[in-house]
Amino acid sequence: MANKHAKKPEDSRYHDTWRLLKKYRDVVWSMELSVQQVKKEFEIEFGSTIEDFLESAYLAGADLGGTKIESHARCIERSNQMLKLLNNAVDILRTRHKSGETYYWLLYYTFLSPQQLDNVNEIIEQLRPHIRDIGRTTYYRKREQAVAALSSILWGYSSKDCMTLLADFFPDMEAEI
């Protein structure tokens, strides 16, 4: 007889989304600091703002490839693109999913708000105006559902659960799945 409490194999994409959400505030903070630091360093070194410098370099046809400035700019841009990707996925979840508004507020107070709340009880208190009759059990269940829904947006409609559904519609694909 199988152990009913045996741990199910977990989808690694869920963990990626979980990790991404847990790091969100740190990345936003780091981005703000990095941008400010690069701007200050640039002003000290070159005596002008980055925007003014880049405009004049562009007009002069200067190539900044391989420079420290380019390296910092690329790093900041990659982080910024990751944040935009996540923010867009959260917006799609909020506006398109049948439970989008509920999931949005769960994700917002748990991971995305500027200030991290101290504990689950504080999160639940903030959620009460948005989610009727929420308690700890409901919070944890809906939080897992929200992260799973966000995962499907971020990583596409190819999760393990969806593969079975696709096999029902496309029996010829079942061998491939």
Side-chain angles (χ1 to χ4, degrees), residues 2-18:
N3 181 356
K4 71 177 186 176
H5 297 291
K7 193 170 184 173
K8 297 186 297 188
E10 297 182 10
D11 188 339
S12 64
R13 289 170 291 199
Y14 175 80
H15 290 291
D16 290 345
T17 304
W18 188 261

Side-chain angles (χ1 to χ4, degrees), residues 34-136:
S34 292
V35 168
Q36 292 305 317
Q37 181 181 5
V38 167
K39 284 183 174 185
K40 289 294 181 198
E41 285 177 8
F42 193 86
E43 288 175 16
I44 290 168
E45 189 170 333
F46 296 100
S48 71
T49 66
I50 291 176
E51 294 81 11
D52 291 343
F53 175 80
L54 291 174
E55 186 176 331
S56 62
Y58 174 74
L59 291 173
D63 181 17
L64 299 175
T67 65
K68 186 178 177 182
I69 296 166
E70 182 199 32
S71 176
H72 280 295
R74 285 184 189 268
C75 182
I76 290 169
E77 182 58 26
R78 278 192 303 270
S79 296
N80 194 37
Q81 287 175 350
M82 189 235 7
L83 289 174
K84 282 182 183 178
L85 176 70
L86 180 60
N87 290 334
N88 287 339
V90 169
D91 287 342
I92 290 169
L93 176 70
R94 184 179 190 182
T95 59
R96 307 284 183 180
H97 193 278
K98 65 183 177 183
S99 301
E101 194 67 19
T102 297
Y103 290 171
Y104 168 78
W105 289 111
L106 274 158
L107 294 172
Y108 179 79
Y109 288 118
T110 306
F111 303 108
L112 307 174
S113 62
Q115 295 297 317
Q116 184 172 353
L117 298 173
D118 288 334
N119 56 51
V120 173
N121 291 333
E122 285 187 15
I123 294 170
I124 290 171
E125 279 307 309
Q126 293 298 315
L127 289 171
R128 289 199 193 281
H130 307 286
I131 304 172
R132 194 173 37 127
D133 300 326
I134 187 159
R136 290 178 77 84

